[in-house]
Structures are given as C-alpha cells and as structure tokens.
Amino acid sequence: DAGVIQSPRHEVTEMGQEVTLRCKPISGHDYLFWYRQTMMRGLELLIYFNNNVPIDDSGMPEDRFSAKMPNASFSTLKIQPSEPRDSAVYFCASRGYGQGLTEAFFGQGTRLTVV
Amino acid sequence: GEDVEQSLFLSVREGDSSVINCTYTDSSSTYLYWYKQEPGAGLQLLTYIFSNMDMKQDQRLTVLLNKKDKHLSLRIADTQTGDSAIYFCAESKIGNEKLTFGTGTRLTIIP
C-alpha cells in the first residue's frame, strides 16, 4: 500500500475562497482522522470517522469547516470561506485492525496558506 | 478530558543521550505513543507502550512509563544528527480510537 495519500501538498489561496483538501486512507482502515498543525496550537484533532461515519467533530473550529467521507477510500476537508488564520498544515491519518488496533498512519500533509 | 504536555525544545550534543518528557492527565489512557516528525513530513510512529508496562526498549530507544505520576519519557541513546526532529507524545484508550497529541518537542543536535 502507498500509505495515506493527501492532495494537494501545498495550497495558496486568497481570503474568501473555498479550499478543498483530499485524503485517501490506507485500504482496509476503518478510522480516518483530520488534524491541523500550527506553531501556536500544535496538533489539533478536527474530526474523525469510523466506517465513513463522523464520530467526533468537536474539534472543527467553525461552521466554515466541513468534512465528508463518501466512501471508504476518500475523504475531503472543506473550508468556505477561507481566512488567513486557517493557514496551517492539515494532516490526514488512518487506523485499522490487524492483530489489534494498529498505529495511526499519517499522510504527508497539505500546507495551506491563505493570503 | 485528555491533556498531554511536553516541553517545546531540547538541545543535545551529538553522541549524548536525549531524554524527552511527557505528562498526561487521563488515568484511563491505555496506549502511549512516541511519534517523530521530520521537516516537511508527516508523523511516523517510533514506538508505543501499553499502560500495564513500565519500560520498553527498542534498539537506541527506551520508553519509561510512570503510571502513578502519569509521566512518559523517551530516551534516545547515542543521539545522531538524523535524530533532529519534532517528537510527539500521544495517548489513546480502548473504546476511543482517536489519538491526543502533545505539543511536540523540537530536538536539536549540537555537533
């Protein structure tokens, strides 16, 4: 497996624009997580899914943020409208059950800059 | 709720041992992890320990867990320049598959 795949790797957008981040988890993993990393706040869990169903979205900062998982192999995180304070690295991670619950595998991240 | 804390920076001379510390608040934490993040990359699992263990050793890495004090440490023996990275402590528990991460400790190696 190629691991967790995120796209794009870098995104620069203007304030007010819609941004969509994409994630393909590792095949067979039941859990998918979206994290945001900033210097000030470290790694924050935004939302996670189990079997494509959102389980905990308490970390989603505002209504401007939304996440979907239409099937087991794809998830999106959307910000509309984007603001400069949304600038961060956004990570997707997935976990599954092998011999017990596996570790969380992370993608390379999407570095978002909102100007 | 869960809270995981780490110091932000650590500088160590090449060849010395590095000790990175972490404290957590949730006594029901079951799994405790150490992840490494190199510049421009995602997080990679280094090692983990179950809460019923006190110590785990894996080559240059030694994890110590003091469950009473809710204190976790990662010792890296013979620190090399390739060990420069941010190290994250994380916890999770049975029945709740999310991981809660600390702020990360940036390890700098002094030649």
Side-chain angles (χ1 to χ4, degrees):
Chain A
D1 200 310
V4 177
I5 299 172
Q6 292 186 246
S7 65
R9 289 295 309 274
H10 303 274
E11 176 81 35
V12 180
T13 190
E14 289 186 347
M15 184 173 64
Q17 296 297 306
E18 177 181 294
V19 175
T20 300
L21 311 181
R22 297 173 176 79
C23 175
K24 181 179 185 305
I26 291 174
S27 177
H29 279 188
D30 300 325
Y31 295 89
L32 183 141
F33 306 84
W34 282 101
Y35 285 89
R36 177 172 69 176
Q37 184 179 28
T38 60
M39 288 290 291
M40 293 299 295
R41 300 172 72 94
L43 262 175
E44 303 173 275
L45 176 66
L46 301 177
I47 185 171
Y48 81 96
F49 296 83
N50 175 214
N51 290 325
N52 315 338
V53 176
I55 302 300
D56 183 353
D57 64 355
S58 59
M60 296 286 263
E62 302 168 32
D63 292 344
R64 298 185 296 107
F65 285 69
S66 62
K68 294 181 180 178
M69 193 164 185
N71 57 61
S73 58
F74 184 64
S75 177
T76 59
L77 178 68
K78 187 177 291 186
I79 309 172
Q80 166 62 19
S82 58
E83 296 182 3
R85 61 195 168 115
D86 302 330
S87 298
V89 181
Y90 290 81
F91 287 103
C92 176
S94 69
R95 294 182 88 175
Y97 282 92
Q99 292 181 343
L101 188 62
T102 69
E103 66 194 80
F105 292 85
F106 280 76
Q108 294 293 298
T110 295
R111 182 174 293 277
L112 173 65
T113 303
V114 183
V115 298
Chain B
E2 310 95 351
D3 193 16
V4 181
E5 294 191 357
Q6 302 176 239
S7 53
L8 292 178
F9 303 99
L10 177 67
S11 296
V12 173
R13 292 204 176 276
E14 189 174 0
D16 288 352
S17 291
S18 305
V19 180
I20 304 170
N21 295 301
C22 169
T23 57
Y24 59 98
T25 57
D26 193 338
S27 57
S28 63
S29 297
T30 311
Y31 306 93
L32 294 137
Y33 308 82
W34 284 105
Y35 277 81
K36 178 183 181 183
Q37 184 183 30
E38 295 183 349
L43 281 70
Q44 287 191 300
L45 182 70
L46 280 180
T47 186
Y48 67 94
I49 190 168
F50 293 112
S51 59
N52 61 358
M53 298 169 64
D54 298 324
M55 186 182 88
K56 182 177 181 181
Q57 189 153 1
D58 184 2
Q59 299 183 344
R60 292 192 298 123
L61 305 178
T62 303
V63 178
L64 295 178
L65 175 61
N66 182 328
K67 198 173 178 183
K68 174 175 171 288
D69 294 339
K70 300 189 193 71
H71 182 266
L72 182 74
S73 67
L74 173 69
R75 179 176 179 269
I76 305 172
D78 186 25
T79 309
Q80 303 297 309
T81 54
D83 296 324
S84 292
I86 302 175
Y87 291 80
F88 289 90
C89 168
E91 64 87 27
S92 71
K93 54 185 69 65
I94 292 175
N96 189 342
E97 289 72 15
K98 71 178 184 180
L99 272 72
T100 300
F101 286 85
T103 52
T105 299
R106 183 180 295 274
L107 176 63
T108 301
I109 313 305
I110 305 166

